[in-house]
Amino acid sequence: MRTMQTAIPAKPAPEPTTDSRPYWEGLARGTLLLQRCAECGRMRHYPRPLCDACHSFAADWIEASGRASVHSWTVAHHPYHPAFRGELPYTVVTADLPEGVRIVAQLRDAQADRLWIGAPLRIGFEDNGEGMVLPVLVTAGGSNK
């Protein structure tokens, strides 16, 4: 009996918009940029056109410190998309940034058993193989830049 092997599809890629383009350009330079409301100063992440606090469309960008701490995590044992099946299991972390926002990204340099709530992390940067840089999380002593 022969088994058919199916080709692994490409990973889904983010599609930058007018509102998120500075974010993606910053990642390409190895910098995490965060959007800040130019009216009330509220930080927001992921970039979007409207401030959820004062409803202003005015925004500017600030460079994040690059530091983070674990808020929560999950270990994926089943891929949400077939392109990720070769990476199983992988850890996805929700991290608090000192700027007052959270980011969700894959943990790259450790297993989930090395995590705890509040564990220090750093933002890393990883080319997705399609010419786009994505944020990842690494332990405070790790390296991924």
Side-chain angles (χ1 to χ4, degrees):
M1 181 172 180
R2 290 171 39 196
T3 347
M4 281 186 54
Q5 289 190 359
T6 58
I8 296 175
K11 290 180 182 176
E15 295 182 28
T17 65
T18 302
D19 297 306
S20 68
R21 193 162 319 283
Y23 172 76
W24 296 108
E25 290 170 350
L27 289 175
R29 294 188 308 270
T31 302
L32 177 65
L33 296 178
L34 300 173
Q35 208 175 38
R36 177 177 57 193
C37 178
E39 294 295 324
C40 72
R42 183 174 181 124
M43 301 297 298
R44 59 187 186 244
H45 179 74
Y46 182 80
R48 49 195 173 269
L50 182 70
C51 175
D52 60 354
C54 74
H55 308 290
S56 172
F57 287 97
D60 55 18
W61 295 86
I62 65 158
E63 184 174 340
S65 68
R67 294 177 290 124
S69 62
V70 173
H71 178 81
S72 181
W73 70 91
T74 188
V75 178
H77 294 277
H78 181 79
Y80 80 94
H81 186 280
F84 291 90
R85 68 180 174 229
E87 298 179 19
L88 296 174
Y90 58 87
T91 303
V92 177
V93 176
T94 300
D96 295 316
L97 278 57
E99 292 81 10
V101 296
R102 290 185 177 141
I103 187 168
V104 177
Q106 285 192 25
L107 181 67
R108 283 297 189 224
D109 70 334
Q111 299 299 317
D113 61 357
R114 291 194 46 211
L115 295 178
W116 67 91
I117 303 299
L121 300 170
R122 287 186 313 100
I123 304 295
F125 306 91
E126 183 175 284
D127 188 305
N128 73 346
E130 303 289 324
M132 183 167 268
V133 176
L134 303 175
V136 295
L137 293 163
V138 295
T139 55
S143 171
N144 195 6
K145 185 166 183 175

